[in-house]
Amino acid sequence: MKDDYPLSIACQGATGSFSHLAGQAFFKAPFNLVETKRFEEIFLAIVEGRSSFGVLPIENSLIGSIYENYDLLCRYDIPIRGEVYLRIQHNLLVLPDQTMTPHERISHISQVCSHPKALEQCRILFEEYPHFSPEPFSDTAGAARFVAQSGDLCRAAIASEQAAQVYGLTILLPSIEDDPQNYTRFLVVGKPQIPHGFPSKVSLVATLEHEPGSLLKVLAELKDQGGNLTKIESRPVRGKPFQYLFYLDVIHPEGADVLVRGLTRLTTSLRILGEYSPGDLSRD
């Protein structure tokens, strides 16, 4: 029977996906998981009232920004309410089997399923075992569920330890990510407000005059205000070749209102995507 909790959270992926784990780390309480196959479906679930919040990855320490989600933040009027950093430990999961040694199991595997971003974070694995064929899947936990349901000993999945527990799989190779300092920053988006203190983190998107020094003036204003720029990302403006939107994350001592007053005169457009408490990046 499906659990019925007061809170419903949309995540790209099944139970045991890293987005699901990030949601658990942020909310610290049980919630109903609204599974989605695409990132945009997270926003649609909120718009349609099927979910109060959504959790989506925005950048990874090994492969960089997830540009699709920057574009979705701009397309939908759903504020960022929080962030969480999650240590990403990938594992090679297989069906339980007592008839082969671990070495024999490895040689028997031909197909390795996982989300494309997870496959990218495990490139060394595929260099070490060239007979592994990477197979993109909608999410890591969904790949684990697929392998469990397939009954095929030639298939494996790259997913979390929790996914192995949920779907009854065995960890054949642990910690297969290219670098142990593998972290993903997730954003929590939703319409209900979540209280925050100061300094707060402010995410915004701006367009600037197409002239020398326009970005420098913005950065100088942030410095004068005592703001700490933690992220800047440019994305192309559709219909305007080689013109760009700038996404900025700023830890600000006084918050969004003061930030906007100082930047409005220096930008051609300015939109606050969210103001929230900075996440805690605690390394192992």
Side-chain angles (χ1 to χ4, degrees), residues 90-131:
H90 291 303
N91 307 278
L92 189 70
L93 310 184
V94 294
L95 286 161
D97 180 78
Q98 304 299 323
T99 65
M100 290 186 280
T101 66
H103 178 75
E104 289 171 333
R105 287 302 309 269
I106 290 172
S107 64
H108 201 66
I109 293 168
S110 59
Q111 183 185 72
V112 178
C113 308
S114 198
H115 189 275
K117 298 299 182 184
L119 297 172
E120 283 186 53
Q121 294 166 29
C122 302
R123 290 173 178 168
I124 295 174
L125 175 77
F126 293 98
E127 292 173 2
E128 187 173 352
Y129 302 105
H131 64 285

Side-chain angles (χ1 to χ4, degrees), residues 153-193:
L153 295 178
C154 294
R155 286 187 173 130
I158 293 175
S160 67
E161 178 182 356
Q162 291 85 347
Q165 296 170 356
V166 170
Y167 302 110
L169 298 177
T170 296
I171 297 177
L172 183 60
L173 294 174
S175 301
I176 57 173
E177 62 277 5
D178 290 348
D179 190 288
Q181 293 299 315
N182 183 24
Y183 288 82
T184 295
R185 176 184 171 225
F186 292 84
L187 297 180
V188 176
V189 297
K191 294 183 178 179
Q193 293 189 3

Side-chain angles (χ1 to χ4, degrees), residues 4-16:
D4 187 18
Y5 298 110
L7 197 61
S8 293
I9 311 296
C11 298
Q12 194 268 331
T15 300

Side-chain angles (χ1 to χ4, degrees), residues 37-75:
K37 292 186 178 299
R38 298 181 299 113
F39 291 127
E40 186 169 12
E41 292 175 13
I42 295 172
F43 292 86
L44 294 174
I46 296 171
V47 170
E48 295 166 3
R50 294 183 286 113
S51 175
S52 299
F53 296 97
V55 177
L56 68 154
I58 195 67
E59 58 179 319
N60 174 264
S61 59
L62 297 186
I63 62 173
S65 298
I66 301 174
Y67 298 114
E68 176 188 353
N69 288 339
Y70 278 101
D71 295 339
L72 290 169
L73 287 169
C74 197
R75 188 181 311 164

Side-chain angles (χ1 to χ4, degrees), residues 10-27:
C11 298
Q12 194 268 331
T15 300
S17 68
F18 290 104
S19 291
H20 180 215
L21 300 181
Q24 291 178 326
F26 183 86
F27 288 101

